[in-house]
Amino acid sequence: MAEPTKVMCEACQHCGVKQVAQLWCNDCDEGFCEECIKSHQTVKILRHHSIISISNHFKISDISVCQTCLEHNKKLESFCQQHDQLLCLKCIQLNHSKCDNIIGIDDAAKGSKNSAAIFDLDEDIKNLLKNIDQGTVCCFDNGTAINNEEHKIKEKINETRDEINKKLDQLQEMILSDLTAKTENEREKLDEYTEELTKKEKKVKEIREQSSKIKEFASEIQVFVVMKNMQHTVNKEKEMMKLKLNNIPKGLPSLKINSELSNLTKNLKTFGEIYIETHSNPIPFIETKVQQAQLSIKLTSSN
Amino acid sequence: MAEPTKVMCEACQHCGVKQVAQLWCNDCDEGFCEECIKSHQTVKILRHHSIISISNHFKISDISVCQTCLEHNKKLESFCQQHDQLLCLKCIQLNHSKCDNIIGIDDAAKGSKNSAAIFDLDEDIKNLLKNIDQGTVCCFDNGTAINNEEHKIKEKINETRDEINKKLDQLQEMILSDLTAKTENEREKLDEYTEELTKKEKKVKEIREQSSKIKEFASEIQVFVVMKNMQHTVNKEKEMMKLKLNNIPKGLPSLKINSELSNLTKNLKTFGEIYIETHSNPIPFIETKVQQAQLSIKLTSSN
Ligand SMILES: [Zn+2]
Ligand SMILES: [Zn+2]
Ligand SMILES: [Zn+2]
Ligand SMILES: [Zn+2]
Ligand SMILES: [Zn+2]
Ligand SMILES: [Zn+2]
Ligand SMILES: [Zn+2]
Ligand SMILES: [Zn+2]
């Protein structure tokens, strides 16, 4: 609200005197000085006018208390109880010509500061604020619920991922230990085979050693006899070796990835779906218990 | 080989003399001193006996040069060229009675130190060692191949897992950003709604403020007029608020995990399969070019 400017006494101004107004007549809608208000109040028909201090006037000066019919630009002087509506003369002529309960605004306004209508208005305002508050609290709760759900969903996603990781870790460990076992088995076959070859080599090299010594130091008959035996042994070893060379362990490990897994990386399109679900907990609107109706009836019946 | 003990001269021992043998007759299978070997060599039928030093005797003493038929425990004295076999008298009677080419072991052994047979035996031994070596090399190569394949498979498993992780990371990021977008949208609805309520509250509180000022400071007619207007405004606000309370944004995010993923943790049994594949690269056996056959033919034809 802007700082109110000074208001001058209209009555004094009429007499060419400049005097700051200390008071305000709500009914005349004019400011008065202390002197002029005295003469204002000596007039009988003005005696019941509502006089307030200038400072109080400023407190309500921003509230529209226009007593003019906005439609016909005439003073609102009457009230139709039937239509609960303020009327100018034109209003009466045009729209309320057949209404019974039209009274003067003075009568209608009588006691309105303490009327049931104003009590109802206060109640309505109070309840309206309660309803707004209900809505605000509900919004806050819904916001909290969204955050909670969001948090839960994130946790669920992480848990699901952890489970998948755990599962894949398990399966990976399984296949790796299977790989180790199977390759180890193949390596053992090769080791056994190589060990046999090493023994055989040692044996054949011994024969070669003996053969060369025999040739050097033994008699021809000895050489002949030994050579016959050796050739026999060597022939057997040759045959065995021929078979053995066809049976070298040739196993190589090979991998077939589970097609469910390879399809996964190709075909999986989503981790899942986020959808918005509407939960419905309707908020009961707080209604005002109407006293106006009773008043209306009272007014109507008393008319 | 154990350290050889001293060998005594058998001939000297016959005469009651103890004399260490310096020489050995392979044919008599006895030790002789330097003196006694001289008289041994004066005898015509012993003159071609194979005489070696005692030290050389020990070098071949561990090689079986048994000239006794193991079946009949008689001396091997003959050789059947047809069966390529050393024979005792009993062998000839029992199994080679009809064989033509039986000769004395002395004749058969003649030149055997430089025979094709001994050359073939050497070749056979050499090739046998080559074949053993081929086998050993092949085993080593196969071992290396197994290790390489094992390494590749481990890498492939890790790569596959990395791909799955990358894919899941992507999808996880996608669903999380979807979650954020959708919850953010719901929160915005709530924010807008709350903002409207705040404005409405401010408006209603202003009306309440005005109502109390008017009651305090205005005239009854002013109160009546303003109250009528206010009630009108409040009624409109009430109706709007009634509708509004039914339209509080109530969206909550919800998650549906892709069933392919939830099935994964339940149903996936393996990461894949390790199987052993046999690769076949046969090793050609190295054969000895036989010279013995030619010798055999020579011997047969010269007989
Ligand atoms: Zn005055
Ligand atoms: Zn007045
Ligand atoms: Zn009018
Ligand atoms: Zn009317
Ligand atoms: Zn002697
Ligand atoms: Zn001799
Ligand atoms: Zn025999
Ligand atoms: Zn024969």
Side-chain angles (χ1 to χ4, degrees):
Chain A
M1 234 182 293
E3 182 67 7
T5 52
K6 291 241 183 293
V7 171
M8 307 312 284
C9 174
E10 293 273 340
C12 285
Q13 230 157 358
H14 255 281
C15 313
V17 181
K18 289 206 175 221
Q19 182 77 30
V20 171
Q22 249 89 46
L23 297 152
W24 184 269
C25 177
N26 281 321
D27 297 276
C28 299
D29 206 25
E30 277 182 349
F32 294 92
C33 67
E34 301 266 358
E35 280 308 306
C36 293
I37 204 72
K38 280 175 192 164
S39 50
H40 172 279
Q41 281 182 317
T42 56
V43 182
K44 188 186 177 191
I45 57 160
L46 306 179
R47 203 169 291 153
H48 299 294
H49 279 192
S50 157
I51 310 296
I52 56 173
S53 70
I54 278 296
S55 61
N56 283 341
H57 162 65
F58 283 125
K59 285 183 188 157
I60 60 169
S61 63
D62 59 324
I63 304 168
S64 164
V65 286
C66 173
Q67 290 180 36
T68 306
C69 173
L70 295 174
E71 207 175 330
H72 309 107
N73 204 25
K74 285 182 184 296
K75 204 176 177 210
L76 296 164
E77 289 179 317
S78 307
F79 179 69
C80 174
Q81 290 179 333
Q82 198 174 324
H83 293 101
D84 191 27
Q85 204 179 331
L86 290 160
L87 314 168
C88 73
L89 283 174
K90 208 75 191 165
C91 291
I92 297 174
Q93 288 176 316
L94 294 172
N95 304 317
H96 300 264
S97 55
K98 287 175 181 165
C99 294
D100 286 329
N101 300 321
I102 293 178
I103 55 175
I105 196 166
D106 295 12
D107 290 334
K110 211 162 276 169
S112 62
K113 283 195 182 182
N114 298 305
S115 67
I118 213 149
F119 176 81
D120 284 351
L121 178 61
D122 286 351
E123 281 296 302
D124 267 353
I125 290 171
K126 212 164 75 186
N127 289 332
L128 193 47
L129 287 172
K130 277 188 194 165
N131 284 318
I132 291 169
D133 197 48
Q134 275 198 106
T136 310
V137 167
C138 180
C139 276
F140 181 81
D141 290 348
N142 288 358
T144 307
I146 288 174
N147 294 345
N148 288 344
E149 283 307 306
E150 188 185 18
H151 182 71
K152 274 190 215 161
I153 287 172
K154 277 183 187 167
E155 274 189 342
K156 177 68 185 161
I157 289 170
N158 287 334
E159 269 170 31
T160 305
R161 178 60 188 278
D162 285 349
E163 273 172 33
I164 295 170
N165 280 355
K166 217 169 122 191
K167 180 78 176 189
L168 290 175
D169 283 350
Q170 262 176 17
L171 297 183
Q172 211 169 333
E173 210 175 300
M174 265 169 62
I175 198 169
L176 284 175
S177 86
D178 191 30
L179 175 65
T180 303
K182 281 177 175 159
T183 53
E184 200 48 55
N185 188 38
E186 291 308 306
R187 274 191 287 261
E188 269 168 27
K189 283 187 200 167
L190 282 174
D191 286 350
E192 275 172 34
Y193 189 95
T194 307
E195 206 176 317
E196 284 174 39
L197 287 192
T198 306
K199 277 184 197 162
K200 198 179 278 298
E201 189 186 29
K202 201 181 159 209
K203 187 174 173 187
V204 174
K205 278 185 173 169
E206 256 168 42
I207 292 173
R208 187 176 63 179
E209 185 84 356
Q210 291 178 350
S211 155
S212 86
K213 278 183 194 162
I214 285 291
K215 265 190 285 178
E216 200 173 347
F217 305 120
S219 67
E220 286 210 310
I221 288 177
Q222 281 178 318
V223 168
F224 187 69
V225 171
V226 170
M227 185 200 72
K228 285 288 165 208
N229 288 337
M230 279 182 179
Q231 186 68 58
H232 187 66
T233 309
V234 166
N235 284 347
K236 275 199 293 184
E237 289 295 333
K238 254 172 79 174
E239 286 315 306
M240 270 158 60
M241 192 59 208
K242 216 176 254 183
L243 291 174
K244 222 162 170 46
L245 270 193
N246 287 330
N247 288 319
I248 293 183
K250 289 169 184 165
L252 277 183
S254 208
L255 170 68
K256 174 90 188 67
I257 297 280
N258 188 336
S259 60
E260 287 182 62
L261 277 185
S262 26
N263 286 341
L264 200 72
T265 41
K266 280 178 220 142
N267 304 336
L268 197 66
K269 293 286 175 282
T270 65
F271 200 95
E273 200 193 333
I274 301 291
Y275 54 98
I276 298 297
E277 235 177 7
T278 302
H279 67 107
S280 63
N281 50 343
I283 298 171
F285 188 78
I286 299 165
E287 293 277 6
T288 306
K289 280 173 194 152
V290 186
Q291 302 211 350
Q292 176 105 49
Q294 295 166 5
L295 180 71
S296 248
I297 290 159
K298 256 200 299 197
L299 281 173
T300 316
S301 61
S302 73
N303 209 42
Chain B
M1 233 184 293
E3 182 69 6
T5 51
K6 290 238 184 296
V7 171
M8 306 313 282
C9 173
E10 292 274 339
C12 286
Q13 230 157 357
H14 256 279
C15 313
V17 180
K18 290 205 174 218
Q19 182 76 30
V20 172
Q22 250 89 45
L23 297 153
W24 185 270
C25 175
N26 281 323
D27 297 274
C28 298
D29 204 23
E30 276 183 352
F32 293 91
C33 66
E34 301 264 359
E35 280 309 306
C36 293
I37 204 71
K38 282 173 190 164
S39 50
H40 173 278
Q41 282 183 318
T42 56
V43 183
K44 188 185 176 189
I45 58 159
L46 306 177
R47 203 168 291 155
H48 299 295
H49 279 192
S50 157
I51 309 299
I52 55 174
S53 70
I54 278 294
S55 62
N56 283 342
H57 162 64
F58 282 125
K59 287 183 185 157
I60 60 168
S61 64
D62 60 324
I63 303 167
S64 164
V65 286
C66 174
Q67 290 180 35
T68 307
C69 174
L70 295 173
E71 206 175 332
H72 309 107
N73 204 25
K74 284 181 183 296
K75 206 178 176 208
L76 294 164
E77 288 180 318
S78 308
F79 178 70
C80 173
Q81 290 180 333
Q82 198 175 323
H83 292 100
D84 191 29
Q85 203 180 331
L86 288 160
L87 313 168
C88 72
L89 283 174
K90 206 79 194 165
C91 292
I92 297 175
Q93 288 177 315
L94 293 172
N95 304 317
H96 301 262
S97 56
K98 286 175 182 168
C99 295
D100 285 330
N101 299 321
I102 294 178
I103 54 175
I105 198 167
D106 295 13
D107 289 333
K110 213 164 273 170
S112 63
K113 282 194 183 184
N114 297 306
S115 67
I118 213 147
F119 176 82
D120 285 352
L121 178 61
D122 285 350
E123 282 297 301
D124 267 353
I125 289 171
K126 211 164 76 185
N127 289 332
L128 193 48
L129 286 171
K130 277 187 194 166
N131 283 319
I132 291 169
D133 197 48
Q134 275 198 107
T136 309
V137 167
C138 181
C139 276
F140 182 80
D141 291 347
N142 288 357
T144 306
I146 287 173
N147 293 346
N148 288 344
E149 283 308 306
E150 188 184 17
H151 183 70
K152 275 190 214 161
I153 287 171
K154 277 182 186 168
E155 274 189 342
K156 177 68 184 161
I157 289 170
N158 286 335
E159 270 170 31
T160 305
R161 178 60 189 276
D162 285 348
E163 275 172 33
I164 294 170
N165 279 355
K166 217 169 123 191
K167 180 78 176 189
L168 290 176
D169 282 350
Q170 263 176 18
L171 297 183
Q172 211 169 335
E173 211 175 300
M174 265 169 62
I175 198 169
L176 283 175
S177 88
D178 192 29
L179 175 66
T180 302
K182 280 178 175 159
T183 53
E184 201 46 55
N185 188 38
E186 291 308 305
R187 273 191 288 261
E188 270 169 26
K189 283 188 201 167
L190 282 173
D191 285 350
E192 275 173 34
Y193 189 95
T194 307
E195 207 176 317
E196 284 174 40
L197 287 191
T198 305
K199 278 184 197 161
K200 199 179 279 296
E201 189 184 30
K202 203 181 158 210
K203 188 174 172 187
V204 175
K205 278 185 172 168
E206 258 168 40
I207 294 174
R208 187 176 62 180
E209 186 82 358
Q210 292 177 352
S211 156
S212 85
K213 278 182 194 163
I214 285 289
K215 265 190 285 177
E216 198 172 348
F217 306 119
S219 67
E220 285 210 312
I221 289 177
Q222 281 178 319
V223 168
F224 186 69
V225 170
V226 170
M227 186 201 71
K228 285 288 164 208
N229 289 337
M230 279 184 180
Q231 185 68 59
H232 187 67
T233 309
V234 167
N235 284 346
K236 276 199 295 184
E237 290 296 333
K238 255 173 79 175
E239 285 317 305
M240 271 159 57
M241 192 59 208
K242 216 177 256 181
L243 291 174
K244 223 165 170 44
L245 270 194
N246 288 329
N247 289 318
I248 294 183
K250 290 169 183 163
L252 277 184
S254 209
L255 170 68
K256 174 90 188 67
I257 297 279
N258 188 336
S259 60
E260 287 182 62
L261 277 186
S262 25
N263 286 340
L264 200 73
T265 40
K266 280 179 220 142
N267 303 336
L268 197 66
K269 293 286 175 282
T270 65
F271 199 95
E273 199 192 333
I274 302 292
Y275 55 97
I276 298 297
E277 236 176 7
T278 301
H279 66 107
S280 63
N281 51 343
I283 299 171
F285 188 79
I286 300 165
E287 292 278 5
T288 307
K289 282 174 192 152
V290 185
Q291 301 210 353
Q292 175 105 49
Q294 294 167 5
L295 180 71
S296 247
I297 292 160
K298 257 201 300 200
L299 280 173
T300 315
S301 60
S302 74
N303 209 40

